[in-house]
Amino acid sequence: MDPAQVPNLYKQQRGPPKIKNKNPAPIQITAEQILREAKERQEAAKKAPRQKISDLEELSEYRLRKRKEFEDTIRRNRLNIGSWLKYAAWEESQKELNRARSVYERALDVDSRNVTLFIKYTEMEMKGRNVNHARNLFDRAVTLLPRVDQFWYKYTYMEEMLGNVASARQIFERWMQWEPDESAWNSYIKMEKRYDEIDRARAIYERFVNVHPEPKNWLKWIKFEEEQHNLEKCREIFSHAIETLGDDHMDQKIFIAFAKFETRLKEFERARVIYKYALEKLPRSKSESLYNAYTQFEKQYGDKDGIEDVVVGKRRAQYEEELKTNPKNYDIWFDYARLEENAGDSEKVREIYERAIAQMPPTQEKRFWRRYIYLWIYYALYEELEAMDYERTRQIYQECIKLIPHKKFTFAKIWLLYAQFEVRQLDLQAARKTLGHAIGLCPKDKLFKGYIELELQLREFDRCRILYTKYLEHNPANCYAWIKFAELERMLGDYDRCRAIFELGVEQPILDMPELLWKAYIDFEFSEEEFNKTRLLYERLLEKTGHVKVWISFAQFELNADEGDREAAIERARNVFEKAYDNMKEKELKEERVLLLESWKEFESNNGTQEMLSAVDAKMPKVVKKRRKVEETEGQGVVWEEYFDYIFPDDQAQQPNFKLLAIAHAWRSQQNELQNQSSSS
C-alpha cells in the first residue's frame, strides 16, 4: 500500500484522537501475513568456518585471537558476569589454570559478592584437586557471604570427603555462630551421628532448639534420645519444651507425642495426666487432634464398658481396612487378636487366629517366618491358658510343626513349647518323643539344652548322659556342652568320668572357646586339691599357648596351692614368674613382659623380701617416645607417627640405646641444676 494513498485520518488536537473515516481499508493485512513476510526476508545466519590447528604457532594465534575477543567483550561491558565466566571456562579448557585464576580474580574485583563466581571458581580448583586453593576460596566466600548456605555445605562436604572430620566440625561451628536455618543444624547433627558422636549430637540438639524452638525440632531431639534408649532424658526434654514454648507458642503436637511416649512405656496414668493438663491449657480451636487422641486413649485404656464397645467397633473396622491393603502384616494380626482377646469372645478370637495363620510367608526364608510363627504360639497359649481346650492346643502345635520346612530351617522354640505343654499334661512319653523327633530331624544347640534341662528337672541322669553324648557327637567343638557334661558327672560324684570328659574335650582339634574349657578343667582339679594334676594341666596349656594371663594364673595357683609349706609355694610361684619372663623375653613380647612384671612386683610386695622386690624393680623398663614412618602420600611426603616403646635394662640388643638415654637424662638434670643456681644467684 502506497503511503501517499493513505488519507490523513487523524488531526492533532488535545485529548484522544477522533476517527473520521470508520470504513475498512481497501487492502486488509493480517498478522500472519506480516510474520510470514518477515521470515521470508530474513537472511540466513552465517556460520563460522571450522578451523583445524596443525602446529603450535597456529594454536598460539588462535589463543591470542580468542583472548582478544574475550577482552574486547569484557571491555564493552565489564558488569556482564556471564562474559567473565565464559572467559575463565575457556582458559580452564586450555589447561591454563593460572590464567583462569587471574580471570576469576579480575571478575571478583568487579563484583566481589557474586555467588556464581565463587561457586565456579571453587569447582575449578576442586576439579584440579587443588585442595588448599579451594579451602582459601571457601574461607573468603564464607567470610564475605556468611548467609549463603551453599558455600558452607560445599565446604563441609569437601572436608568430610577428604576425611578431615575435625576441620569439618570446626567449619560447622563457625557456621552455627551465624544461627542458620534448620537444615544446616540437621546436617551438622547427621554428620556427628555418622561418626557415632552421640554426646556431641546431643549438645548440638540443645543449641538447635534454643535457636529454633519450633515443636518439630523438639520432637526430633526426643526421637533421637528415644533411639538411644535414654527415656528419662526424653521426659526431661518434653518438660523443658513445654516450659520454653509457654502458653503463647504451645502446640498440641508436643502433648500428643508426650502422651504417646508414656503410653508406649505402659505409663497410662502419666499419659492421662498429660492429656488432661493439655486440654486445660489449650483452647478447643487449637486442640482438635489432641481431643481425638485422648478419646482414642480412653477408649483403649479406659474402664467404661460403653467406651470399650465403641473402641472395639472402630478398631475392628480400622484393622480390617489395613488387612485388605496388606493381609501379611503380622503386626496388625497381633493387635487384632489382642483386641478380640480383651473383648472376651472366644469364637471371634479363634476366627481371627485362623485367618492370621492362613497368611503364610511368601518364601521359605527364616527371616520372613519369625513373626509368623508367633501367631501359632499365641494361638496355642490362648487355647491352653484362656480357653483351656488342651486337645485343640495339641492340634495347633502339631499343625505348626508340620508346616515348618525343617530341612531348610526350624524353630527350637516351638518344639520346646510343645514338649513343655505335654509335661504340664503329665504325658512325659509324648514330651520325650517330641524332643527326640526334633533332635533327629533338625538338631540344634537350643534343642539339646532344652531337652537336657527337662531331664535334669526329672532327675533322669542316665538320659542326660545319653543326650550329652548325642550333643557332643553333633557338635564336638562346643565347649559349653563339654563343661556342662563334666559338671553333671561332678555333681553325681563320678570324678573319674568328669576327668575323662575334660580330657576328651581338651584333646579336640577344634573348639569354639578353648580357654573356658581349660579354665573349667583346671578349676575342677584345684577344687579337688589335685595340685600335681593341676600343675601338669598348666604345663600342657602353656605348650599350646604362651599367653601372659596363663603364666600369671599359673603363678597364682602355685602361691595358693596349700601343700603345707608356704615358703616352698612362694618359691615355686617365683620360679613360674622367672620362666614366664625368660619365655617372653625370648619372644620379644614387650607389652606382655610389662604386664607380667607388674603382677610379679605385686606378688613380691605381698609375699617376697625387699631384696627380691628391688630385683623385680630393676627389671622394669623405661618408657620412651619414638617416631616411625607410617606411609608416603603424594603431596604430603612421608607421614610419621609417635608411639611409646619399652626399653628393658636386660635387653642386650637395646643396651647402647639405654646407655645413651641414661646419659641424656643425666645431662638434662645437670642443665636444670645450673639454671636453678643461676636463677637463685
Side-chain angles (χ1 to χ4, degrees):
M1 185 178 179
D2 190 358
Q5 298 177 359
V6 178
N8 187 9
L9 301 178
Y10 303 104
K11 184 179 181 181
Q12 293 184 357
Q13 59 181 2
R14 293 181 181 179
K18 293 181 180 181
I19 299 173
K20 293 182 177 180
N21 186 3
K22 295 184 179 181
N23 294 325
I27 299 175
Q28 296 293 318
I29 300 176
T30 62
E32 182 180 358
Q33 184 179 356
I34 295 172
L35 292 174
R36 185 166 57 250
E37 290 179 0
K39 180 68 175 174
E40 290 173 354
R41 294 177 183 179
Q42 186 176 1
E43 296 181 358
K46 295 180 180 180
K47 294 183 180 179
R50 186 178 181 85
Q51 277 186 303
K52 264 190 178 180
I53 298 174
S54 57
D55 56 12
L56 186 61
E57 184 178 356
E58 289 184 6
L59 178 61
S60 300
E61 290 177 358
Y62 164 74
R63 287 179 174 175
L64 182 63
R65 186 171 63 256
K66 290 293 290 184
R67 288 188 181 111
K68 186 176 184 305
E69 291 175 2
F70 282 119
E71 292 291 344
D72 291 340
T73 304
I74 291 169
R75 195 178 300 110
R76 284 194 296 270
N77 187 1
R78 296 179 70 250
L79 299 179
N80 187 359
I81 300 300
S83 300
W84 291 100
L85 293 175
K86 290 178 183 178
Y87 192 2
W90 181 83
E91 291 289 358
E92 184 184 357
S93 69
Q94 299 297 312
K95 307 300 181 184
E96 294 285 345
L97 294 184
N98 289 331
R99 287 180 177 273
R101 289 190 189 104
S102 175
V103 173
Y104 276 120
E105 293 294 340
R106 289 166 60 195
L108 288 173
D109 289 340
V110 174
D111 188 358
S112 61
R113 306 180 69 85
N114 191 287
V115 175
T116 308
L117 271 176
F118 275 107
I119 294 296
K120 295 293 183 181
Y121 197 177
T122 52
E123 285 178 354
M124 182 195 76
E125 297 292 358
M126 286 191 289
K127 285 179 186 176
R129 299 188 178 184
N130 299 315
V131 177
N132 289 330
H133 281 284
R135 282 197 183 105
N136 293 336
L137 282 172
F138 276 124
D139 276 328
R140 288 170 58 188
V142 299
T143 303
L144 189 62
L145 302 168
R147 292 296 179 187
V148 180
D149 294 342
Q150 194 174 4
F151 293 141
W152 296 102
Y153 282 122
K154 286 182 175 289
Y155 197 0
T156 54
Y157 179 75
M158 182 189 76
E159 293 292 351
E160 190 175 358
M161 288 298 100
L162 293 172
N164 199 353
V165 181
S167 295
R169 188 176 289 120
Q170 290 178 358
I171 295 163
F172 268 116
E173 287 295 335
R174 286 174 59 191
W175 192 6
M176 295 308 111
Q177 291 176 2
W178 291 94
E179 297 183 357
D181 58 7
E182 298 168 7
S183 59
W185 291 91
N186 290 326
S187 298
Y188 192 6
I189 292 166
K190 286 178 182 177
M191 188 198 78
E192 297 293 0
K193 289 167 70 176
R194 280 197 297 274
Y195 298 99
D196 293 329
E197 295 288 348
I198 304 302
D199 292 332
R200 290 180 182 273
R202 184 176 290 117
I204 296 166
Y205 265 119
E206 190 170 359
R207 293 159 56 194
F208 179 26
V209 296
N210 287 331
V211 176
H212 299 284
E214 286 81 14
K216 62 179 181 180
N217 298 330
W218 289 97
L219 294 178
K220 286 180 183 178
W221 187 11
I222 292 161
K223 183 180 179 182
F224 166 78
E225 295 293 349
E226 193 171 357
E227 290 173 354
Q228 306 303 320
H229 305 289
N230 197 348
L231 304 181
E232 290 300 323
K233 184 68 175 178
C234 292
R235 288 196 179 100
E236 181 182 339
I237 296 168
F238 273 120
S239 302
H240 187 38
I242 293 170
E243 292 175 2
T244 303
L245 294 174
D247 295 336
D248 297 331
H249 301 92
M250 183 51 63
D251 196 303
Q252 58 183 344
K253 294 178 182 178
I254 293 289
F255 290 108
I256 293 173
F258 196 0
K260 287 183 177 179
F261 168 78
E262 296 292 354
T263 305
R264 285 196 298 273
L265 299 179
K266 308 299 182 186
E267 295 286 348
F268 303 124
E269 289 302 320
R270 282 177 178 265
R272 186 173 286 109
V273 169
I274 292 165
Y275 276 124
K276 290 181 179 179
Y277 173 82
L279 291 172
E280 291 175 1
K281 289 289 184 181
L282 295 176
R284 181 76 183 197
S285 59
K286 295 183 179 180
S287 59
E288 183 176 356
S289 299
L290 184 65
Y291 270 99
N292 294 334
Y294 182 44
T295 303
Q296 293 296 327
F297 171 81
E298 285 296 343
K299 287 178 180 178
Q300 190 172 357
Y301 304 104
D303 298 330
K304 296 180 181 180
D305 296 336
I307 294 178
E308 286 293 334
D309 293 338
V310 174
V311 167
V312 171
K314 287 187 176 181
R315 292 182 73 82
R316 273 194 193 122
Q318 178 185 350
Y319 289 143
E320 290 292 345
E321 289 295 326
E322 291 177 352
L323 290 172
K324 285 180 182 178
T325 306
N326 183 11
K328 296 191 185 303
N329 189 340
Y330 300 126
D331 292 330
I332 300 297
W333 287 112
F334 287 133
D335 295 339
Y336 200 175
R338 194 176 299 114
L339 177 70
E340 295 297 347
E341 286 180 24
N342 293 333
D345 190 348
S346 299
E347 292 301 322
K348 190 68 176 175
V349 173
R350 288 192 177 109
E351 179 190 347
I352 296 302
Y353 273 120
E354 290 293 338
R355 289 172 57 194
I357 60 178
Q359 301 296 330
M360 289 181 58
T363 59
Q364 291 186 354
E365 293 184 26
K366 192 169 184 177
R367 59 193 180 96
F368 293 111
W369 285 66
R370 293 185 189 278
R371 300 289 289 165
Y372 173 70
I373 285 298
Y374 274 94
L375 287 171
W376 289 91
I377 293 173
Y378 290 162
Y379 189 10
L381 292 176
Y382 171 77
E383 291 292 349
E384 181 186 359
L385 302 177
E386 300 294 334
M388 296 185 180
D389 191 339
Y390 304 121
E391 188 59 34
R392 192 181 183 92
T393 304
R394 186 174 289 109
Q395 292 176 2
I396 292 169
Y397 279 121
Q398 291 172 354
E399 289 298 323
C400 179
I401 288 171
K402 289 179 184 177
L403 196 65
I404 299 172
H406 300 288
K407 296 297 181 182
K408 294 185 177 180
F409 59 86
T410 190
F411 292 93
K413 190 177 189 68
I414 199 75
W415 291 101
L416 294 173
L417 286 173
Y418 184 23
Q420 291 165 6
F421 164 74
E422 294 293 2
V423 171
R424 289 193 291 272
Q425 302 306 311
L426 305 179
D427 193 348
L428 296 180
Q429 189 66 25
R432 289 188 177 118
K433 185 177 179 181
T434 300
L435 290 175
H437 180 54
I439 289 173
L441 186 62
C442 44
K444 288 182 66 176
D445 290 351
K446 194 173 181 181
L447 284 172
F448 280 107
K449 291 177 184 178
Y451 198 177
I452 291 168
E453 184 180 355
L454 173 63
E455 296 295 355
L456 278 176
Q457 291 174 354
L458 298 173
R459 297 296 185 264
E460 292 286 350
F461 301 119
D462 290 335
R463 290 181 180 272
C464 291
R465 284 176 174 141
I466 295 171
L467 287 171
Y468 271 122
T469 304
K470 296 290 184 183
Y471 190 2
L472 291 170
E473 288 176 359
H474 166 65
N475 187 6
N478 192 332
C479 290
Y480 170 85
W482 289 105
I483 294 170
K484 289 297 181 180
F485 194 5
E487 288 179 355
L488 172 66
E489 297 297 348
R490 183 181 180 186
M491 181 183 69
L492 298 176
D494 197 340
Y495 301 116
D496 292 336
R497 287 176 68 98
C498 177
R499 193 171 285 112
I501 291 166
F502 274 126
E503 283 294 335
L504 284 173
V506 297
E507 292 299 328
Q508 293 298 315
I510 299 175
L511 292 170
D512 55 0
M513 291 184 291
E515 65 278 3
L516 296 181
L517 184 59
W518 280 98
K519 184 179 184 302
Y521 193 4
I522 291 169
D523 290 345
F524 162 71
E525 295 291 6
F526 183 78
S527 63
E528 296 300 321
E529 298 185 358
E530 294 285 349
F531 300 127
N532 289 330
K533 292 182 179 180
T534 307
R535 195 172 288 114
L536 291 174
L537 282 176
Y538 270 115
E539 292 174 357
R540 287 169 60 190
L541 179 57
L542 287 170
E543 290 176 1
K544 292 179 177 291
T545 174
H547 199 279
V548 63
K549 290 186 178 180
V550 179
W551 285 106
I552 294 172
S553 177
F554 190 10
Q556 293 294 332
F557 155 73
E558 292 291 7
L559 180 64
N560 296 327
D562 189 8
E563 295 182 352
D565 191 350
R566 180 67 177 174
E567 292 299 326
I570 294 173
E571 189 62 30
R572 286 196 301 271
R574 186 176 291 117
N575 291 336
V576 172
F577 276 118
E578 290 175 353
K579 288 181 182 177
Y581 184 79
D582 293 339
N583 180 270
M584 292 175 189
K585 179 181 176 182
E586 182 181 350
K587 296 179 180 178
E588 296 184 358
L589 302 175
K590 294 186 178 182
E591 295 183 358
E592 287 78 359
R593 285 167 72 186
V594 173
L595 292 175
L596 181 71
L597 286 172
E598 289 176 352
S599 179
W600 192 359
K601 183 177 179 182
E602 184 181 357
F603 161 77
E604 294 294 355
S605 63
N606 294 330
N607 304 286
T609 61
Q610 186 63 35
E611 182 181 354
M612 297 304 299
L613 182 60
S614 301
V616 176
D617 271 332
K619 295 177 181 291
M620 296 298 287
K622 297 288 185 181
V623 182
V624 296
K625 186 185 292 186
K626 293 184 177 181
R627 296 176 67 215
R628 60 188 171 196
K629 187 193 303 183
V630 180
E631 59 181 352
E632 294 186 8
T633 58
E634 296 183 2
Q636 296 183 357
V638 181
V639 179
W640 297 82
E641 71 170 2
E642 292 185 347
Y643 71 99
F644 291 98
D645 194 11
Y646 299 100
I647 298 179
F648 292 86
D650 54 353
D651 280 353
Q652 295 300 324
Q654 295 180 345
Q655 197 69 23
N657 293 336
F658 184 73
K659 288 181 179 179
L660 182 63
L661 184 66
I663 293 171
H665 279 295
W667 179 82
R668 182 65 179 272
S669 302
Q670 184 179 2
Q671 293 295 321
N672 291 336
E673 290 178 1
L674 292 174
Q675 290 178 0
N676 292 334
Q677 290 176 3
S678 61
S679 61
S680 60
S681 61

